[in-house]
Amino acid sequence: MSDKKLDRFIVFEGLDGSGKSTQARMLARHLAAQGASVHLTAEPTERAIGRLVRQALRRDFCTDSRALALLYAADRSDHLSDPEDGILAHLSRGGTVISDRYFYSSLAYQGVSEDEGFLRTINDYPHPETVVFIDTDVRLCLERIDSRGSGRELFEKEDYLRRVRDNFLRILTTLPPSVRLVRVDGAASAEEIFSTLLSQISG
Ligand code: ADP
Ligand code: TYD
């Protein structure tokens, strides 16, 4: 996997319900208020391949785990390279890009069933400057997902998420030294987490 890194690109990672979208939004608002041009985005995307991924997560059609890994990786390629709205295009115009999930999610989630070497090969994408990992207890994540009231998706099961968390912890130790890792405890209030995150990002 390439050690190439994209400056001004910040990625949030964590389990479903960990609170990463909330923190990504708070950081985007904070940086925009300081005058930065910020593009907040997410994977799976709202593009054609991303919509297909979401259909698979709702079990609208049946596919296998290898095909799903390839779909996530293909969605990511579009997400990076769209000439107008892609991550690379926003960065080349001088903006800051914040993404709710990136290829570390593929290594952690698809890594439960697929070979890590295969996943790294199909996800040979550049690293961001910063990875923020919101580390939230699996049961707390599931409580939050259930209180959202929209039902559970494919991976939202306790045993599965425990294995995903173990994968995240292992994978995040393999980041190139130039990538900044910020790990925050997700059990506190959103405001407390954000203040810890900000002190680590600016520290
Ligand atoms: P994710 O993007 O990781 O799935 P969200 O940010 O969507 O997580 O949060 C999941 C749910 O938990 C949402 O209903 C959100 O309002 C709530 N939530 C987010 N952060 C916190 C927090 N620190 N404490 C309590 N609830 C939270
Ligand atoms: P997401 O919409 O971020 O879910 P949530 O807001 O609940 O955290 O992601 C949808 C699901 O897709 C989630 O279960 C994580 C999974 N996922 C993968 O398995 N691999 C990937 O590469 C990505 C980006 C997401």
Side-chain angles (χ1 to χ4, degrees), residues 119-135:
L119 295 171
R120 287 196 184 262
T121 300
I122 63 172
N123 283 285
D124 190 18
Y125 299 120
H127 290 272
E129 183 172 12
T130 304
V131 179
V132 180
F133 180 60
I134 312 285
D135 193 7

Side-chain angles (χ1 to χ4, degrees), residues 13-26 100-101 109 134 136 140-141 143-145 147-148 156 185-194:
E13 291 285 7
L15 300 179
D16 303 55
S18 59
K20 62 192 161 32
S21 313
T22 303
Q23 296 301 319
R25 271 197 307 271
M26 290 172 85
D100 181 352
R101 296 194 185 279
Y109 283 77
I134 312 285
T136 308
L140 185 54
C141 289
E143 277 172 27
R144 289 181 186 169
I145 290 166
S147 67
R148 273 198 302 228
E156 296 175 344
D185 179 357
S189 73
E191 291 70 24
E192 282 170 309
I193 297 170
F194 185 62

Side-chain angles (χ1 to χ4, degrees), residues 36-80:
S37 154
V38 182
H39 175 64
L40 177 61
T41 182
E43 295 184 0
T45 68
E46 299 297 333
R47 307 168 61 90
I49 301 173
R51 287 201 299 273
L52 201 54
V53 168
R54 290 199 185 275
Q55 286 171 21
L57 293 175
R58 289 194 306 264
R59 303 178 187 81
D60 289 356
F61 66 93
C62 185
T63 188
D64 69 5
S65 118
R66 175 168 276 237
L68 192 54
L70 290 162
L71 285 178
Y72 277 116
D75 182 41
R76 185 160 299 125
S77 185
D78 272 354
H79 192 204
L80 279 159

